[in-house]
């Protein structure tokens, strides 16, 4: 099965991608994983990407797409894959469609994790990070009443990208970039939305139930 996972920050894409890929026995492929593998492996694309990253610039689409193409051509992805983090916009989606068409393949499904904006803010703005061990706690879900890490005793702090105003900005950017992508896949008739609120296990069950009719 060839599957793309989309959803806003805080929707739990990373967690669900792992569970879904494992259930379907296909590789989970994220752009972050691809970047790290190419940079650490010293590939030509990795070296090129690193020149942009070292300057603090965004890696151009053509470099990212070339990395994705290389990864999808590997042996373990021939019978299926789950893409997390790609495509991010309609031009990338069109390139992915054409790439797969060249290989006489196509996407089976695009699964959208649907979460209300206020739930995303609640999830992300409530996170606190330990300054010593890096463990992440949640002021609501972990029933924390102090700013001390229960594992190592370190002080907890709120990262800048977890602050409410930053989270809301990230959601605005996501909506601007991804709404056209959602429409694109809806028109392709391969988009299915899944409620991503509630316990992780329940979300996974909903996702797998939505996927089964497309699994073949």
């Amino acid at each position: 099965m060839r599957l793309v996972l989309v959803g806003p920050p805080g929707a739990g894409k990373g967690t669900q991608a792992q569970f879904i890929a494992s259930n379907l026995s296909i590789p989970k492929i994220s752009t972050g994983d691809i970047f790290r593998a190419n940079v650490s492996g010293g590939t030509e694309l990795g070296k090129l990407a690193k020149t942009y990253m070292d300057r603090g610039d965004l890696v151009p689409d053509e470099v990212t797409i070339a990395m994705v193409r290389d990864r999808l051509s590997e042996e373990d992805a021939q019978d299926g894959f789950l893409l997390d983090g790609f495509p991010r916009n309609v031009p990338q989606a069109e390139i992915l469609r054409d790439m797969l068409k060249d290989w006489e393949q196509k996407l089976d499904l695009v699964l959208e994790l649907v979460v209300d904006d206020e739930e995303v803010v609640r999830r992300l703005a409530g996170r606190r990070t330990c300054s010593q061990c890096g463990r992440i706690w949640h002021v609501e879900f972990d029933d924390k009443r102090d700013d001390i890490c229960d594992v190592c005793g370190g002080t907890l702090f709120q990262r800048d990208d977890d602050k409410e105003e930053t989270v809301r900005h990230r959601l605005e950017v996501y909506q601007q970039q991804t709404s056209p992508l959602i429409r694109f896949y809806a028109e392709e008739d391969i988009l299915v939305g899944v409620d991503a609120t509630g316990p992780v296990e329940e979300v996974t069950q909903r996702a797998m139930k939505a996927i089964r009719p497309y699994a073949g």
Side-chain angles (χ1 to χ4, degrees), residues 1-2 25-27 29 68-82 99-100 102-106 108:
M1 183 173 193
R2 297 173 181 88
S25 300
I26 55 177
I29 299 173
V68 171
R69 183 188 298 274
D70 283 355
R71 181 63 185 89
L72 293 182
S73 66
E74 292 181 16
E75 184 64 31
D76 68 333
Q78 296 313 296
D79 293 328
F81 53 78
L82 185 153
M99 184 192 307
L100 293 175
D102 288 343
W103 296 337
E104 298 182 346
Q105 299 174 359
K106 64 181 180 63
D108 296 300

Side-chain angles (χ1 to χ4, degrees), residues 136-210:
I136 295 176
W137 300 88
H138 198 282
V139 294
E140 182 179 347
F141 305 149
D142 290 317
D143 194 26
K144 294 289 292 174
R145 293 194 176 91
D146 53 38
D147 294 323
I148 302 299
C149 176
D150 291 349
V151 173
C152 72
T155 303
L156 304 184
F157 71 98
Q158 186 180 37
R159 299 187 321 179
D160 287 343
D161 59 352
D162 285 339
K163 291 180 178 177
E164 182 174 340
E165 59 270 26
T166 306
V167 172
R168 291 192 183 279
H169 176 68
R170 290 168 64 193
L171 284 169
E172 288 175 8
V173 172
Y174 172 80
Q175 291 297 339
Q176 291 168 3
Q177 292 181 344
T178 311
S179 291
L181 183 67
I182 297 300
R183 287 196 298 272
F184 174 85
Y185 282 127
E187 289 169 3
E188 295 267 300
D189 201 27
I190 54 172
L191 178 75
V192 173
V194 171
D195 179 8
T197 57
V200 170
E201 297 80 4
E202 289 184 12
V203 177
T204 305
Q205 288 172 4
R206 287 184 212 127
M208 292 308 301
K209 183 178 180 179

Side-chain angles (χ1 to χ4, degrees), residues 111-127:
L111 189 70
E112 180 188 10
L113 297 184
V114 181
V115 188
D116 179 81
D117 282 1
E118 293 309 311
E119 174 65 15
V120 169
V121 172
R122 176 170 165 254
R123 290 181 184 183
L124 297 186
R127 297 198 303 194

